[in-house]
Amino acid sequence: MAASVTAAAPPDGLSDEEEQGWYVLRAGACVACHTADYDGAPFLAGGRPIATPFGTFYGPNITPDSDHGIGAWERDDLHRALTEGLDPEGRHYYPVFPYTSYAKMTDEDIDALWAYLQTVEPVAKPNYRHEVPWPLSYRSLLIGWKALYFSPAAFELDPQRSQSWNRGAYLVQALGHCAECHTPRNLLGGPDEPRAFAGNPDAPGDERAPNITPHPEEGIGDWRERHIARYLGFGIKPDGDFAGGSMADFIDTGSSHLTDEDRRAIAEYILSLEPIP
């Protein structure tokens, strides 16, 4: 029998929209990147280093602090950041911030996320400067990168698939942004789309993200839906081993807070992917 996991409850006193935003925050893996990885780090106050082949980036403060967080933002600024990769001044974000996936988020989910973020305790913690070598430090170069690799488009339901499959597709493609880590990148940092989800030897955090297509030998073709759902809830693999590194953080702060139904939807979608060696 598959293990049953109950999603952690959001804080008391939230409105329905704010509760939805709390859930979006967890499904979007926001906590893992925007909260420093040491005990007692202020919630969502930034400082988490993210090592990549292009430099080390630091998750920014997204508490509603007016000086160091997003306290001076408007709701539309969050929409623009998530769907266009631009800050309120029109500057381009580096794609380590996965707006390339978040662009598929629904307006309802973005509005809910905004509503929840307004309830978070403001923290006056300055942001760290990214450690990016020349010439990548020139953000204007991102105009060309976006022209090559970023085509914002809303998530589209597949009428030929089940409701749960479509929910899983949305959670994987948009909120969970799984392809961002599990797809190999070229020399410019663009995703190798034909090999989506087939693993990335240079994933963020100086880690190797495994192949999560249902390939029988090199992917997770021997996993079943219950195995994936249990893994996303507890971090336990079918062989009894446990998740580590960034995936453990994603599970601990993100997918373990999802409902059983959503984890099974993710599993249904993942196992429908093309097996890629």
Side-chain angles (χ1 to χ4, degrees):
M1 179 179 297
S4 177
V5 183
T6 302
D12 293 333
L14 299 182
S15 68
D16 289 345
E17 183 182 40
E18 290 163 354
E19 283 193 13
Q20 178 184 345
W22 175 89
Y23 194 83
V24 169
L25 182 91
R26 297 295 179 172
C30 308
V31 179
C33 286
H34 290 282
T35 302
D37 54 346
Y38 55 83
D39 291 341
F43 185 60
L44 300 182
R48 178 70 178 264
I50 304 169
T52 79
F54 304 97
T56 298
F57 301 84
Y58 293 89
N61 184 335
I62 59 170
T63 73
D65 179 76
S66 297
D67 294 325
H68 305 293
I70 61 171
W73 286 31
E74 302 291 340
R75 184 187 299 260
D76 287 346
D77 292 326
L78 182 62
H79 277 265
R80 194 180 189 194
L82 292 170
T83 63
E84 299 180 38
L86 296 171
D87 73 7
E89 285 72 45
R91 294 172 297 193
H92 296 279
Y93 284 119
Y94 288 102
V96 68
F97 170 47
Y99 55 83
T100 45
S101 291
Y102 288 154
K104 295 183 174 69
M105 289 176 63
T106 64
D107 289 344
E108 180 185 6
D109 274 350
I110 297 176
D111 287 343
L113 177 60
W114 170 259
Y116 171 69
L117 288 175
Q118 306 317 299
T119 73
V120 174
E121 181 71 23
V123 179
K125 181 177 181 294
N127 291 304
Y128 298 121
R129 290 180 61 87
H130 300 316
E131 298 171 4
V132 184
W134 183 91
L136 301 180
S137 53
Y138 289 101
R139 290 182 185 248
S140 58
L141 294 176
L142 292 169
I143 298 174
W145 189 93
K146 284 182 170 181
L148 290 171
Y149 304 115
F150 181 44
S151 299
F155 176 78
E156 294 185 3
L157 295 173
D158 185 342
Q160 303 301 317
R161 296 284 192 167
S162 68
Q163 181 178 355
S164 60
W165 184 94
N166 277 290
R167 174 62 176 170
Y170 176 70
L171 288 166
V172 169
Q173 293 178 20
L175 291 182
H177 58 274
C178 307
E180 301 289 346
C181 285
H182 289 277
T183 298
R185 302 270 173 167
N186 61 28
L187 292 176
L188 296 178
D192 184 357
E193 295 291 355
R195 298 188 56 75
F197 302 103
N200 181 5
D202 297 310
D206 288 333
E207 298 178 10
R208 181 182 181 87
N211 185 333
I212 58 171
T213 74
H215 190 274
E217 297 174 357
E218 299 178 27
I220 57 172
D222 59 343
W223 291 38
R224 299 294 179 263
E225 287 187 11
R226 68 180 185 276
H227 295 144
I228 297 174
R230 183 177 65 176
Y231 180 67
L232 294 174
F234 292 107
I236 304 174
K237 301 178 182 179
D239 62 4
D241 195 9
F242 284 86
S246 297
M247 192 62 199
D249 292 336
F250 170 77
I251 293 170
D252 183 49
T253 64
S255 62
S256 65
H257 297 266
L258 302 184
T259 63
D260 289 335
E261 183 179 22
D262 272 352
R263 282 193 293 269
R264 287 194 298 268
I266 291 172
E268 180 181 351
Y269 173 72
I270 290 292
L271 292 179
S272 76
L273 296 173
E274 177 187 356
I276 302 175

